[in-house]
Amino acid sequence: MNGFVAMFRKEITQMLRDRGTLLFALVIPVFELILFGVIDMNAKHIPTVVFDQSHTQESRRLLDQFENTSYMDVIAEVPSRAALERAIVSGRAPVAIEIPPDYARNLAAGRQADVLIMIDGSDQSVATQALAAANGVVLQQGLQDLLEKSGQRPRVEAHPVMMFNPDMRSANLLIPGLIAILLTFSGTILSAFAIVKERERGTLEQLMVTPVSPLAVVVGKLLPYLGLAYFQLILIVALMRFLFRVPINGSLTLLLVLSPIYLVSLLALGLLVSSRARTQMEAMQMAMGFMLPSVLLSGYVFPITSLPVSPHCRCRCRWSRTFSPPRTSSRLREGS
Amino acid sequence: MNGEIGVDVQGVTKDFGSVRALEDVTLQVPRGEIFGLLGPNGSGKSTLIRILCGLLVPTAGRATVDGLDVEREGEQVRQHIGYVSQAFSLYRDLTVDENLDFFSSIYRLQGADRKERIEWVINLAHLGPYRDRLAGVLSGGWRQRLALAAALMHRPRVLFLDEPTAGIDPVARRELWDLLFELAAGGVTMFVTTHYMDEAERCGTVAYLYMSRLIVSGRPQALKALPEVTPEGTRRVEAACEEGVAKLMTSARTLPYVHAATIFGTSLHLLIDANVSDQKVEQDLQAFGITDVKVSPIEPSLEDVFVRLTETRGREIEAARPQVVQV
């Protein structure tokens, strides 16, 4: 380990002097955290247009129920089917409801009453939530009518309990996972850059003609970045807890003690990249090659159960699952 | 100086895949001498230096630096050599002081010893006024001095300089060479690559690499006296004129007794038949309409030597080339 202290001190000096690195490691993650923190994944108040041909008390009641869910806001009543379609195509409203002229008559006669609901399917998360809400409203309405007529009460009632996140707050779900993602990005890229920069500038060659040991170069260079990534972790966890009020029910100590293991594995990934890449540009692209799959297969973006891979393959991607978002999120939220 | 060998290269060959960068190179540099390695771009100069510094492993042959085998005793070799690479390769985002401090601690210098060494190299390279500047903002000449200072920190016994004066101004170049002479006088062996003939003239020994092979090596005076450089029955003259040297050359080349003509500034170096007099050449050239031409006998310059040897020995190498590659 000859030359370790020299490498370590030099790296710290360089790191503190390099505004770009500090910006990348500390400011950008905070910015992204705030961005994700204010996002609400639940689609509320979806603009809705209505073509009500029935104009009866019954049709009015149905529309009120749509609005009561707070998923949909009726922003306009239009005079024709064509106008409904225009509203969806132009992007003015993702949901359009058409009530036929015979709606109330059919209801009164005990026949099936139809309602047309058009949903803009190009935005999946809005579409699925709108669909669920619309189905819910219509089912509720139908059931109510049926029960009123027969004078009975429903036999089965569900009592769902949303554990860990009773209010369904998006921040509670997004931010803990985001921590792992941000660390994955900055940990891998910072360490890859640190070594590739030396190669690009020719300083690595200069080091190789001195008696400094290769291990000292690697450890001396990566240790400061481990510190930086750890500081980043603490910063983000603090912001999460105090700015976005995400409760930490699990063991904070365990998180802080175990996370360096994850960070070391990220730095090692960066080291692997830097052993191949000749320029920082190349390193960036190779690091992306590692990070995108590890983020996409982590369960943060898509549910793990929906990944199109065999169970065997799923075991293979386990590292990203084990240490990445789901584990971090549950460590924070569960009171394990 | 005391007859010991500073750098010894024995039959070194280096292949990069199917490309042969060095072919059976053998040379010796006495301790405390300045050795100049010349050759066109891509001839293998940097490859040889990198092998001697332990950055590359030769495909065949062996090399020792200060008596230590570069392959087997790399660790000790690195303790005793300094390397100034072609491109500036210190930390641009560290100051002069920080760079020197870093290298001093890499070489395990400590306490008072370390301070003293840093002061020593700073004085040697006259870096005093720039101590707090970032290395990245220094101009070419000062960067080179800093690189040299860092390479001298541990008082190396052999110093490798790969085109140390490329792209720096003439004054800085002169000063750098004065520094090199000072160090050589102190017993440091210098291994320098360069493209400048005036620098080559100042070296104790020069060698010329051409297409991966060493075509000649020896003291500048000995090289100039080589029979191949001025073959029997020929001699060298200089034809000087005020202007129109290009026309002078095309004219000279039409003369039957002129074997070679090379422009040097405003004059022409000619290799002619020995039995042709200066006056005869002068008259023949004036016949082309160049009235102010003056012809006088000259010694071959190092450039003449290399140009001539490239023509003779280089041809042989090129002719033998296809067979060599298949080996």
Side-chain angles (χ1 to χ4, degrees), chain B residues 86-87 138-144 162-173 176 194-196 199:
Chain B
Q86 213 166 336
L138 295 178
S139 65
W142 289 104
R143 277 188 194 175
Q144 243 8 41
D162 197 357
E163 295 190 24
T165 56
I168 70 174
D169 68 76
V171 178
R173 208 149 72 85
L176 198 72
T194 179
H195 280 301
Y196 297 106
E199 292 181 357

Side-chain angles (χ1 to χ4, degrees), chain A residues 2-3 5-7 9-10 13-14 17-18 197-198 201-203 205-212, chain B residues 50 53 55 78-79 83 88-95 98 101-103 105-108 114 134:
Chain A
N2 176 43
V5 177
M7 282 306 296
R9 278 181 42 219
K10 179 213 72 138
T13 314
Q14 285 184 305
R17 195 162 287 164
D18 182 8
K197 204 153 87 184
E198 297 243 5
R201 288 274 169 91
T203 49
E205 191 178 275
Q206 192 72 47
L207 283 180
M208 281 160 69
V209 299
T210 69
V212 65
Chain B
R50 289 158 60 88
C53 289
L55 292 169
R78 285 194 281 277
Q79 296 278 359
Y83 171 52
F88 178 69
S89 55
L90 298 193
Y91 296 98
R92 288 158 203 258
D93 48 353
L94 294 183
T95 64
E98 285 165 343
D101 194 55
F102 170 67
F103 281 97
S105 86
I106 285 264
Y107 285 108
R108 282 187 259 192
R114 180 155 155 190
L134 289 180

Side-chain angles (χ1 to χ4, degrees), chain B residues 246-323:
Chain B
K247 189 184 175 197
L248 193 63
M249 185 174 73
T250 45
S251 311
R253 281 184 170 169
T254 64
L255 298 172
Y257 51 81
V258 170
H259 299 288
T262 322
I263 294 177
F264 280 78
T266 61
S267 66
L268 201 60
H269 286 193
L270 301 173
L271 183 66
I272 60 170
D273 282 341
N275 55 13
V276 181
S277 70
D278 294 351
Q279 286 77 14
K280 164 87 169 126
V281 181
E282 223 168 74
Q283 284 162 11
D284 286 346
L285 287 174
Q286 279 163 354
F288 287 101
I290 309 149
T291 47
D292 63 340
V293 66
K294 293 269 178 300
V295 174
S296 53
I298 49 156
E299 274 258 276
S301 67
L302 264 186
E303 187 160 340
D304 290 325
V305 172
F306 295 137
V307 167
R308 184 72 194 147
L309 290 179
T310 311
E311 280 167 9
T312 56
R313 299 188 187 180
R315 289 281 145 70
E316 291 164 26
I317 292 172
E318 277 170 62
R321 196 78 199 161
Q323 299 148 17

Side-chain angles (χ1 to χ4, degrees), chain A residues 221-234:
Chain A
K221 281 195 78 71
L222 292 190
L223 217 52
Y225 288 97
L226 180 64
L228 184 65
Y230 198 63
F231 181 70
Q232 193 185 336
L233 171 78
I234 292 170

Side-chain angles (χ1 to χ4, degrees), chain B residues 61-73:
Chain B
R62 56 188 295 271
T64 63
V65 169
D66 208 58
L68 298 163
D69 189 287
V70 292
E71 254 184 281
R72 282 183 288 114
E73 297 162 295

